[in-house]
């Protein structure tokens, strides 16, 4: 158990945006919301999943929809608490024992901090993805058989709803169409979970891991190479490519930001091109047409010099970036995990090959 | 107070389908559902709005979406009761005192009879339209300031949701996208109302009126002209046209059945053409390009010989029909009523002219 101060929050926002693999929201917006909440309500206590009681009851709070929209449709701030409290009341739970993030991301790591500060409840150091994914059923809780519903959904205007569904896929479908109608983004609370379920199905220590990543990225280390090495060592990751963005194609569809970034090589990769395909989150990285890394492994873009994470909505012509990959949590590397978030689910005609294997084979994918 | 028997139900289904102006569902499907419910649970008690206590609490139950879909996606039967009970529980009402139809229509007049029979509660003889309309905010309750939300929505698969919204228009928007996702039709309970609100904002005696219309249409009167005159006299209506359908254009869009029927004149109208434009319900009737009747006045199509109502999904080439119009309830003929359900709301560049005025002017509309 420990308290999160301003420094910790700034580190978490940056580290979570890195693990957000392009999605999960902008860390600057996220950080500002969380800092303003702890300034108003006091610091937030964070507990490890091992520290919570099995029978206690926890609810997450998150943003759903296209991250690009949030920049223009800034939350009023009361939506997170409203949707969280609505679900608690609907479930008839007197005392919700704490909250937790559903995914990594610059905003989605911070919303639970706002809720925890406002309601003076602890934040649990776990999430349901260990990264970010675009759809509601893409969680390790889902793989563990936890229901996403009952789920609450609200918007910044004050509309609010509850859903109970026959499957987590149906929760996604019905929440998605409402999110689109609400203006392509909404605030949600879902996957109501016991302490036991957090222990069994959550990705543990993800907030602390985000914080450590943020510490490295935000460190004063002057030497670029040393800083990069520190980051890669911490995350057990690899730099796939460095270059300059020469094209970004995007479309907002069904409440998602779909797109593709083309990066032209610098220095030793001169003449090479890397393409990163995304749906809110980066899903596939190809070099000269050959897959190098694929979902559910993490594909993160960072600024070439500062290593600050670059979200998909911030991709633009001329930006110089590094493409970094790291292995996903082992929970995703099961048959059901790959069926839920592997390349074929997203429409790519590729069998999943774990990142380590791909690198050992020199980047050749099985098509 | 009286009980509805099989005869009454058959008359109501037919008369309500007539008042449904093409929408509100097929009377045969509706009748079968209601007859099966009274066979299983016993007869249904019907009370006049004047007979209910002001402070008692009532909920309607209805089908939402494209009527054409219902024919293929036949309800299991428990959806109506489930959505009704869900809303009651959500509102914390111990005893819901009764139910009522939200609109006329072959199915939407019968669903409340199924609910009343199943739960042994009375049916109140009123509705919120005095006809049928395609959208949720198109009710006299809305004009009276009653909120459509909290609202419950479900499908035949078992998904169920609750909405609380900032306006009845938002209830429509959020319910519509869920209805589309559920397969273009859903079951809903909304406009929770007190007895006082039913008295003040409901259209009184609509079930009895439907029954009387059904009695005329289903009577054994052998002479066609006499039967037609009896019907027109009862409803204070006019026959606008008689002819053969020579073209039907339709599209399913946004959970609505949109379309246009072209009818070629018979006998004295030889050479003339009438076009009826619909969105679930018939909205505009034009003869040789000149408007003859327009929403919110009722435009009803019936079989040329039997006078049985023809719903928009049953329109087909070669069918011989009469187009009959009658004035809407006075509640619709206010500025707010016309803004809510007048021709301009539906995208027609026409000022509303009451049917009586239109007929007096010989069918000339102000464009």
């Amino acid at each position: 158990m420990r308290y999160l101060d301003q420094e910790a929050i700034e580190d978490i926002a940056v580290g979570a945006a890195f693990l957000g693999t392009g999605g999960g929201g902008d860390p600057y917006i996220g950080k500002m919301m969380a800092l303003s909440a702890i300034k108003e309500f006091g610091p937030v206590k964070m507990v490890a999943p091992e520290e919570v009681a099995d029978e206690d009851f926890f609810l997450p709070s998150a943003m759903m929809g296209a991250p690009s929209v949030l920049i223009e449709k800034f939350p009023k701030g009361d939506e997170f608490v409203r949707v969280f409290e609505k679900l608690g009341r609907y479930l008839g739970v007197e005392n919700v024992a704490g909250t937790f993030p559903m995914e990594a991301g610059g905003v989605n790591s911070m919303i639970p901090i706002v809720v925890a500060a406002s309601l003076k409840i602890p934040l649990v150091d776990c999430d349901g993805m260990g990264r970010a994914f675009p759809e509601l059923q893409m969680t390790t809780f889902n793989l563990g058989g936890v229901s996403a519903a009952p789920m609450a959904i609200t918007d910044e205007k004050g509309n609010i709803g509850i859903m109970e569904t026959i499957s987590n896929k149906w929760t996604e479908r019905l929440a998605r169409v409402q999110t689109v109608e609400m203006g392509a983004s909404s605030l949600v609370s879902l996957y109501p979970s016991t302490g036991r379920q957090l222990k069994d199905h959550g990705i543990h220590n993800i907030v602390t891991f985000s914080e450590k990543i943020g510490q490295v990225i935000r460190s004063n280390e002057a030497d670029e190479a040393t800083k990069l090495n520190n980051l890669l060592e911490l995350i057990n990751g690899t730099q796939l490519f460095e270059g300059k963005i020469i094209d970004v194609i995007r479309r907002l569809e069904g409440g998602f930001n779909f797109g593709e970034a083309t990066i032209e090589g610098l220095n030793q990769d001169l003449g090479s091109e890397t393409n990163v395909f995304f749906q809110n989150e980066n899903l596939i990285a190809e070099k000269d047409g050959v897959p190098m890394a694929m979902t559910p492994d993490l594909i993160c873009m960072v600024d070439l010099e500062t290593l600050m994470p670059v979200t998909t909505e911030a991709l633009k012509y001329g930006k110089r970036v590094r493409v970094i990959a790291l292995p996903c949590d082992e929970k995703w590397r099961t048959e059901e995990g790959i069926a839920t978030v592997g390349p074929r689910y997203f429409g790519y005609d590729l069998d999943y090959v774990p990142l380590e294997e791909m690198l050992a084979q020199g980047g050749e994918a099985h098509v």
Side-chain angles (χ1 to χ4, degrees), chain A:
Chain A
M1 191 274 279
R2 63 190 174 101
Y3 283 88
L4 301 179
D5 58 13
Q6 177 173 344
E7 184 81 10
I9 284 172
E10 299 204 13
D11 287 334
I12 293 165
V14 167
F18 178 85
L19 293 175
T21 65
D26 180 83
Y28 183 77
I29 294 177
K31 174 185 89 169
M32 295 311 285
M33 295 183 325
L35 290 180
S36 138
I38 63 162
K39 193 171 168 193
E40 185 174 354
F41 301 106
V44 163
K45 182 162 84 173
M46 184 164 75
V47 297
E50 296 76 17
E51 293 176 280
V52 305
D54 279 4
E55 63 283 6
D56 271 358
F57 193 77
F58 301 85
L59 295 177
S61 183
M63 180 199 73
M64 179 170 178
S68 70
V69 171
L70 191 72
I71 295 172
E72 289 164 36
K73 214 174 75 156
F74 199 82
K76 279 202 258 168
D78 58 345
E79 303 93 325
F80 318 137
V81 171
R82 181 168 68 233
V83 75
F84 179 93
E85 290 191 314
K86 181 79 182 176
L87 185 56
R89 273 198 310 278
Y90 183 76
L91 293 164
V93 177
E94 284 286 321
N95 293 299
V96 178
T99 187
F100 60 100
M102 191 39 73
E103 64 174 10
V107 167
N108 270 341
S109 63
M110 296 288 112
I111 289 176
I113 294 179
V114 174
V115 171
S118 306
L119 299 176
K120 301 191 192 313
I121 55 174
L123 175 77
V124 187
D125 190 359
C126 70
D127 78 359
M129 301 188 190
R131 47 167 294 164
F133 276 123
E135 298 182 6
L136 295 186
Q137 78 284 3
M138 297 176 171
T139 68
T140 51
F141 292 96
N142 178 44
L143 298 184
V146 181
S147 173
M151 166 179 173
I153 185 167
T154 194
D155 63 16
E156 79 292 350
K157 295 173 278 297
N159 296 305
I160 192 158
I162 293 279
M163 270 164 280
E164 292 188 55
T165 63
I166 54 169
S167 69
N168 290 344
K169 202 70 189 288
W170 267 103
T171 310
E172 160 65 25
R173 289 179 64 169
L174 293 172
R176 185 68 51 186
V177 292
Q178 292 183 77
T179 297
V180 171
E181 194 66 18
M182 286 170 167
S185 83
S186 67
L187 292 312
V188 299
S189 187
L190 68 175
Y191 287 105
S193 301
T194 61
R196 186 71 251 163
Q197 288 172 319
L198 293 192
K199 291 173 200 186
D200 290 347
H201 309 302
I203 308 265
H204 291 217
N205 306 319
I206 191 73
V207 181
T208 299
F209 186 44
S210 300
E211 186 181 7
K212 284 182 185 160
I213 294 170
Q215 280 166 352
V216 172
I217 295 176
R218 297 176 68 239
S219 73
N220 291 322
E221 177 56 64
D223 183 56
E224 233 175 69
T226 307
K227 194 165 162 177
L228 178 62
N229 280 338
N230 290 348
L231 177 63
L232 295 178
E233 198 175 324
L234 172 66
I235 63 174
N236 184 29
T238 308
Q239 174 172 305
L240 300 177
F241 200 71
E242 55 182 89
K244 191 179 79 168
I245 297 176
I246 57 164
D247 197 18
V248 185
I249 300 166
R250 348 170 160 262
R251 62 185 205 280
L252 177 64
E253 191 181 308
F256 297 109
N257 292 126
F258 285 90
E260 176 187 349
T262 306
I263 307 159
E264 191 181 60
L266 297 173
N267 311 328
Q268 72 278 26
D269 276 316
L270 214 65
S272 271
E273 261 187 22
T274 285
N275 292 80
V276 175
F277 300 89
F278 57 86
Q279 178 182 344
N280 292 5
E281 282 75 33
N282 302 321
L283 297 173
I284 306 282
E286 281 182 0
K287 186 173 169 180
D288 300 326
V290 179
M292 289 191 292
M294 55 179 82
T295 175
D297 292 322
L298 285 72
I299 299 163
C300 311
M301 274 199 260
V302 298
D303 183 90
L304 188 84
E305 280 130 34
T306 64
L307 305 190
M308 284 293 278
V310 178
T311 57
T312 49
E313 72 266 22
L315 297 170
K316 62 176 183 206
Y317 178 86
K319 191 160 182 65
R320 286 150 36 109
V321 295
R322 296 175 191 274
V323 182
I324 291 172
L326 61 147
C328 66
D329 191 276
E330 281 303 316
K331 281 191 162 72
W332 289 120
R333 292 183 165 181
T334 60
E335 203 175 314
E336 203 194 337
I338 297 306
T340 307
V341 294
R344 290 197 184 277
Y345 180 88
F346 290 102
Y348 298 96
D349 190 19
L350 292 171
D351 286 324
Y352 172 66
V353 182
L355 179 65
E356 305 87 312
E357 215 175 293
M358 202 97 122
L359 294 172
Q361 290 168 9
E364 295 275 339
H366 306 247
V367 183

